[in-house]
Amino acid sequence: MTLSSLWTQRHRQDQMGPVSVFGFGVLIGLVGLRIAAMFVDSSPRLGLQDEQLLPAMAGPSWDHLLGTDQLGRDLLLRMVDAVEAFFLPGLFACLVAALIAVPTGAIAGYWEGSKGAAVLRGLLTMISAWPRLVLVVVVVAIFTGSVRDPAAWAEVRLYLLGGLVGLSYIPQLGGAVSERVQHFRREQFVEAARAHGLSDRRILLWHILWANCRHLVLRHTCTLFGAFILVETSLSYLGDYGVPPPRPSWGNILAGVRHSVVHSRSLMASSDSWSPAGLWGGVEQAIQHGGLLGVLAPTIAIAVSIAGVLALAEHYARRDRP
Amino acid sequence: MGTRTRLVGRHIATFGGVVFVSSIVFGALVWWAPGSPQRIDAGAQLDQGFWGWLLSFWLGLIQFDLGPSYRGIPVDQLLVKGAIKSLPLIVLSMILSVGGSLLAVAIMGTRASSSFPLVRTAIHSISLVPVFLLGYLAVVLFAVPPDGVFQALAAIAILAVGDGMLTDIFLGIDDEVDQLLDRDFVHSARLRGVPVGPTLARHLALPLAQIAADKMAYVVGGVLVIEKVLGIQGIGWMGYRAATHHDFLLLLAITVAVTSLVAASQLGVDLVRLATDPRTTPNVSGQEVG
């Protein structure tokens, strides 16, 4: 194979397909929303006169593209502001997982058979038996459940959440890195590097981890970021352990409009609840009460964000293939 | 003692170690929690330290008498009551997800041979939606009644699909079938006109069990969410309530129970593999091969 054909083949591998474009598009969108969220204050009700207050559950208009929520706050602004709840804590989760799992996995894989590696493997096995959501709920409940002012502790709680989600992902990332390092430590180029007198640390850090594991780590951190969005929105929806109101999260926006939407739905909840007419009646009620966008906007935002970061993970999985 | 027995013993010891160390970790969290009622009660009335309290918890766990919860009801009774509601959800959702994925692969073929790209995309898209959102939509759109069969059926369907469960299991089975179809013995069986179905089923059983065991921790997390959303009073609902009410003894018991469940599912797969897979044979030094 000539050098030019090798270059062409590599260039073809680097070309982005629709999945990669979608993934990077969502990432750019999330970064843009995070920057926009710094300039947005979505709870301007305090200090306003009665006549300045917006009507609750208003439908969409030119002034308020997504309408208002159950307390008359602009839904679009709250949707943008809610990105703050998961963006930096999600990156913190990735950082925690990468900082612990990559060295742990690398040591367990490179010095396979040593006592230290056996202990690390035992730790990874133990953490993998802890269900992520159960771990998060238990620890957050224990350490922040007795806080008197949850809003003041929201930031701490989010980063605690990030740390725990990162911790719970260590077995997956650590296991993948360990497996990869185990595979490469027997390769000829590693033997050659050893024969040239390169230290184990240099071989491991540069020739194995950087050259052959970085796409694997990126792939797993993207998946972890998606998992964090899932955990944060789930807990914020359930209340108690996620983002406390009035601070917005896509999860608590959904929870906020739930009561009015369920109420409007319950008007139709008669014997024909499961029939198409009953279903459509519920949707119609929800539109009239302005709650449909309050349901649809966060639902779509959560699904698209998770799909986007998983598409990015798929992009790195493709780059990772030798 | 034979090497196979030693390997079985090693797997059981790993399971015991995971449960034991997990109970120490979560016990320590409960003990040193701010304002922990366990520490205050044990210190003031029983003059116990952390290890004494943990020892009495372990003894209670073995005797299945953990004492009263925050509400005065025995913890072991609450555990049984919750498990009766939650275990069927976990098992049936797993069966539905694995069975549905198998059926989908059987109908559509594997990724390499599939002519149903839209159906596959639809499966992935629905599965991307979080469990709480699916539960929310079930409540908002379909007005799932607060108690009864519909609620349990909705929970099973949502657990089988949401949080990427269906996609992960579907892709796992897809990969396994794809690899299996490419094996030499399958090619030769086809060339000889022998039906490959029974052979495939036999070789797929263990990978399927492994895929299901790997997803156990996720399903248990999903159970916590869906029981809270739909108001099913199972283990997840009780755990969430115990956390909110600082009923730390019940919380610790539930945490140890779900950790044991996840570890036991892995132990089950390991033992079945050891018993059935001829590739997993102990070598001279007692190391597992395969």
Side-chain angles (χ1 to χ4, degrees):
Chain A
M1 189 178 280
T2 62
L3 197 63
S4 65
S5 63
L6 261 176
W7 173 257
T8 313
Q9 189 185 351
R10 180 63 200 260
H11 183 66
R12 206 171 286 148
Q13 279 177 355
D14 285 353
Q15 277 181 340
M16 295 207 298
V19 172
S20 310
V21 171
F22 174 64
F24 278 105
V26 169
L27 181 70
I28 291 167
L30 287 177
V31 171
L33 287 175
R34 176 64 187 84
I35 293 168
M38 290 194 292
F39 305 102
V40 163
D41 181 12
S42 63
S43 43
R45 282 177 62 90
L46 292 174
L48 290 181
Q49 300 297 319
D50 280 355
E51 62 272 15
Q52 291 175 289
L53 294 175
L54 302 171
M57 303 302 282
S61 65
W62 282 112
D63 289 337
H64 310 286
L65 288 177
L66 294 180
T68 61
D69 69 0
Q70 76 284 1
L71 293 176
R73 295 168 296 194
D74 187 288
L75 202 57
L76 180 62
L77 289 183
R78 282 182 71 72
M79 289 290 297
V80 173
D81 206 5
V83 177
E84 270 188 354
F86 66 79
F87 196 84
L88 289 180
L91 291 181
F92 179 67
C94 297
L95 193 70
V96 167
L99 283 180
I100 301 175
V102 173
T104 310
I107 291 167
Y110 198 76
W111 286 283
E112 182 196 10
S114 67
K115 280 184 181 167
V119 170
L120 290 176
R121 280 190 186 283
L123 269 176
L124 295 183
T125 308
M126 189 181 67
I127 299 173
S128 66
W130 299 344
R132 182 178 295 149
L133 264 169
V134 176
L135 172 76
V136 168
V137 167
V138 168
V139 177
V140 174
I142 283 175
F143 287 102
T144 65
S146 55
V147 168
R148 285 186 183 168
D149 182 10
W153 283 79
E155 204 67 28
V156 176
R157 186 188 279 179
L158 279 173
Y159 282 94
L160 180 63
L161 215 68
L164 290 167
V165 173
L167 184 77
S168 71
Y169 200 81
I170 287 171
Q172 276 147 290
L173 180 54
V177 169
S178 165
E179 207 172 289
R180 181 65 61 88
V181 170
Q182 259 181 46
H183 170 76
F184 276 108
R185 69 188 273 269
R186 298 191 194 97
E187 290 286 309
Q188 283 185 340
F189 74 89
V190 172
E191 294 295 330
R194 275 205 199 102
H196 275 84
L198 264 65
S199 66
D200 277 339
R201 198 175 64 178
R202 185 171 168 78
I203 293 171
L204 182 59
L205 288 179
W206 180 253
H207 294 276
I208 298 182
L209 283 180
W210 175 253
N212 291 298
C213 294
R214 65 177 193 277
H215 287 134
L216 178 81
V217 175
L218 280 171
R219 170 191 159 194
H220 277 277
T221 46
C222 288
T223 311
L224 172 58
F225 192 78
F228 183 79
I229 297 176
L230 189 74
V231 170
E232 185 273 312
T233 48
S234 299
L235 290 178
S236 299
Y237 172 77
L238 296 179
D240 303 313
Y241 306 115
V243 178
R247 204 177 152 166
S249 152
W250 291 341
N252 69 20
I253 291 173
L254 268 172
V257 296
R258 176 183 54 193
H259 297 297
S260 52
V261 176
V262 169
H263 173 67
S264 63
R265 181 71 186 91
S266 68
L267 298 176
M268 292 298 295
S270 54
S271 56
D272 62 349
S273 289
W274 292 84
S275 67
L279 181 63
W280 175 242
V283 174
E284 216 171 8
Q285 287 281 337
I287 293 170
Q288 280 169 11
H289 283 249
L292 190 68
L293 283 174
V295 176
L296 281 182
T299 304
I300 292 169
I302 293 167
V304 169
S305 301
I306 294 175
V309 288
L310 291 184
L312 216 51
E314 178 61 26
H315 165 80
Y316 286 115
R318 284 179 188 171
R319 297 284 297 259
D320 191 38
R321 278 172 205 147
Chain B
M1 193 164 57
T3 43
R4 193 175 286 275
T5 318
R6 268 212 300 277
L7 286 175
V8 171
R10 194 182 294 169
H11 284 304
I12 293 173
T14 306
F15 163 75
V18 166
V19 175
F20 177 70
V21 179
S22 300
S23 70
I24 294 177
V25 171
F26 287 111
L29 285 173
V30 164
W31 182 262
W32 278 290
S36 162
Q38 267 64 39
R39 191 177 61 220
I40 294 163
D41 286 355
Q45 296 163 17
L46 307 171
D47 199 23
Q48 277 180 329
F50 169 66
W51 291 106
W53 169 74
L54 198 62
L55 188 65
S56 60
F57 173 78
W58 286 331
L59 287 174
L61 204 62
I62 293 164
Q63 294 164 354
F64 211 61
D65 178 17
L66 287 164
S69 75
Y70 174 73
R71 288 187 292 159
I73 305 167
V75 167
D76 39 273
Q77 272 185 27
L78 287 173
L79 268 182
V80 171
K81 200 177 153 195
I84 287 170
K85 293 215 169 182
S86 297
L87 282 178
L89 297 185
I90 294 172
V91 174
L92 290 175
S93 62
M94 202 69 100
I95 290 172
L96 184 63
S97 199
V98 172
S101 301
L102 265 177
L103 194 69
V105 171
I107 293 170
M108 297 191 291
T110 58
R111 217 175 324 183
S113 60
S114 179
S115 50
F116 297 88
L118 279 177
V119 181
R120 295 174 74 89
T121 310
I123 290 175
H124 294 325
S125 308
I126 294 169
S127 188
L128 274 175
V129 183
V131 158
F132 87 91
L133 253 176
L134 290 173
Y136 179 87
L137 293 175
V139 172
V140 170
L141 290 181
F142 295 99
V144 175
D147 201 10
V149 181
F150 279 128
Q151 201 184 28
L153 288 178
I156 290 166
I158 289 166
L159 282 173
V161 172
D163 280 357
M165 174 85 172
L166 188 62
T167 300
D168 286 353
I169 290 185
F170 181 59
L171 287 180
I173 290 175
D174 197 61
D175 274 348
E176 288 292 340
V177 173
D178 211 24
Q179 283 176 27
L180 207 55
L181 288 175
D182 209 28
R183 301 280 282 275
D184 287 342
F185 67 87
V186 177
H187 287 306
S188 59
R190 275 185 176 154
L191 287 173
R192 288 164 63 189
V194 179
V196 290
T199 317
L200 283 179
R202 202 168 55 243
H203 282 83
L204 265 179
L206 209 58
L208 287 185
Q210 184 63 62
I211 290 168
D214 289 345
K215 294 304 290 180
M216 185 58 87
Y218 296 89
V219 182
V220 170
V223 160
L224 185 138
V225 174
I226 199 66
E227 286 183 349
K228 177 80 169 66
V229 172
L230 296 181
I232 300 170
Q233 297 185 7
I235 288 269
W237 182 86
M238 277 181 196
Y240 198 90
R241 195 181 154 94
T244 315
H245 292 183
H246 281 206
D247 191 347
F248 286 157
L249 187 63
L250 179 60
L251 191 60
L252 179 60
I254 288 175
T255 312
V256 172
V258 294
T259 306
S260 308
L261 180 68
V262 175
S265 64
Q266 193 57 54
L267 173 70
V269 175
D270 287 341
L271 293 183
V272 171
R273 178 182 294 120
L274 210 56
T276 59
D277 192 347
R279 292 168 299 177
T280 317
T281 49
N283 64 12
V284 179
S285 63
Q287 294 287 316
E288 210 170 304
V289 178

